[in-house]
């Protein structure tokens, strides 16, 4: 399944829930996230889809990237592969994986409903039965990354992915674009990180169902 076909699908994604949250609670003076997303896509591609990156032309999907940003991404990629866990985790990965579940059951405060849902993993290990996600971050310590992960609703994202695929474990990997340190949050279904993510997505999924029904 190509990237375009994935994003044109009608199942509800975590990104859709993020969009809904901004409609319900718009933030004032929020900076344009376009460049941050583009940089995150560059890091993801360098690690999981290297064919998309031209290191000589400094491009991603044929689009030129600023030299300082590209070089910083290269240093972050190097930090990822120098980390023992990350190297082991990604070395035998199946690559990016799309998970789709139709008529997924939800219960929000005693109210049952169903949604068709989807997600696209950065990294998936079939042999382990779980996967994870890679984030670029301005955090310079583990504590800062954990705080940022909750602020940016990464707990909701990871719980959403785990439940669609019915995986029991997960990992969120952060790579600092400031000091190139690598941070990891290991998640299971008993983790407070997972539980807070479930509560976040249940409320938004319930609101989505009220507004739009089962699909977009």
């Amino acid at each position: 399944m190509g990237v375009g076909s994935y994003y044109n699908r009608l199942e509800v994604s975590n990104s859709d829930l993020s969009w809904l949250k901004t409609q319900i609670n718009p933030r004032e003076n929020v900076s344009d996230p376009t460049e941050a997303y583009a940089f995150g896509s560059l890091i993801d591609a360098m690690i999981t889809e290297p064919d998309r990156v031209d290191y000589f032309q400094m491009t991603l999907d044929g689009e030129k990237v600023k030299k300082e940003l590209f070089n910083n991404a290269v240093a972050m990629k190097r930090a990822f592969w120098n980390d023992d866990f990350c190297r082991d985790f990604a070395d035998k990965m199946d690559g990016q994986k799309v998970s789709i579940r139709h008529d997924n059951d939800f219960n929000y405060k005693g109210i049952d409903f169903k949604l068709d849902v989807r997600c696209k993993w950065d990294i998936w290990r079939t042999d382990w039965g779980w996967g994870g996600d890679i984030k670029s971050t301005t955090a310079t310590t583990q504590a800062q990354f954990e705080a940022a992960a909750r602020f940016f609703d990464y707990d909701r994202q990871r719980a959403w992915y785990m439940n669609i695929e019915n995986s029991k474990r997960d990992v969120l990997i952060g790579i600092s674009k400031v000091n190139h340190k690598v941070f990891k949050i290991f998640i299971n279904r008993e983790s407070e990180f997972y539980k807070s993510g479930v509560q976040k997505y249940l409320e938004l999924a319930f609101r989505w169902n009220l507004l739009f029904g089962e699909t977009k």
Side-chain angles (χ1 to χ4, degrees), residues 23-153:
Q23 304 309 303
I24 297 170
N25 300 302
R27 296 176 183 171
E28 296 182 0
N29 302 320
V30 176
S31 59
D32 183 358
T34 303
E35 185 169 313
Y37 287 149
F39 187 74
S41 295
L42 176 60
I43 296 297
D44 286 350
M46 283 185 173
I47 295 170
T48 65
E49 298 179 290
D51 291 345
R52 296 172 56 197
V53 182
D54 186 325
Y55 285 85
F56 295 101
Q57 299 296 324
M58 294 189 176
T59 62
L60 172 65
D61 297 330
E63 296 292 326
K64 190 73 174 179
V65 179
K66 293 178 181 177
K67 181 178 180 180
E68 60 271 24
L69 294 179
F70 193 92
N71 287 340
N72 196 28
V74 169
M76 293 166 67
K77 181 195 76 167
R78 186 179 302 116
F80 177 92
W81 288 109
N82 283 338
D83 181 273
D84 290 341
F85 170 80
C86 292
R87 184 173 59 254
D88 183 48
F89 186 50
D91 186 49
K92 295 181 181 179
M93 67 179 174
D94 298 271
Q96 295 189 339
K97 170 184 171 67
V98 172
S99 297
I100 296 169
R101 186 181 292 270
H102 291 151
D103 291 328
N104 191 72
D105 292 317
F106 294 86
N107 182 287
Y108 179 67
K109 295 185 176 180
I111 301 174
D112 294 319
F113 61 99
K114 295 179 182 290
L115 290 176
D116 294 342
V117 295
R118 63 181 164 92
C119 65
K120 186 170 183 284
W121 300 78
D122 268 358
I123 296 179
W124 178 259
R125 286 283 300 258
T126 297
D127 56 339
W128 291 3
W130 53 285
D133 199 44
I134 303 166
K135 303 290 187 186
S136 62
T137 178
T138 58
T140 57
T141 66
Q142 178 73 25
Q144 288 178 5
F145 178 62
E146 291 180 8
R150 292 183 183 275
F151 178 79
F152 290 113
D153 293 331

Side-chain angles (χ1 to χ4, degrees), residues 2-31:
V3 173
S5 60
Y6 170 79
Y7 289 110
N8 289 330
R9 295 187 63 93
L10 296 180
E11 298 90 3
V12 182
S13 69
N14 180 65
S15 295
D16 293 324
L17 299 185
S18 294
W19 171 84
L20 179 59
K21 181 182 178 181
T22 63
Q23 304 309 303
I24 297 170
N25 300 302
R27 296 176 183 171
E28 296 182 0
N29 302 320
V30 176
S31 59

Side-chain angles (χ1 to χ4, degrees), residues 161-198:
Y161 280 45
M162 289 173 69
N163 283 358
I164 291 176
E165 188 57 37
N166 197 30
S167 56
K168 305 302 182 186
R169 298 180 64 189
D170 195 84
V171 63
L172 181 65
I173 299 169
I175 311 174
S176 175
K177 49 190 173 183
V178 179
N179 61 7
H180 304 152
K181 289 187 176 181
V182 177
F183 312 112
K184 297 174 283 286
I185 300 176
F186 293 98
I187 309 157
N188 60 49
R189 289 176 180 264
E190 298 303 315
S191 304
E192 288 304 317
F193 194 81
Y194 168 82
K195 293 176 181 179
S196 66
V198 169

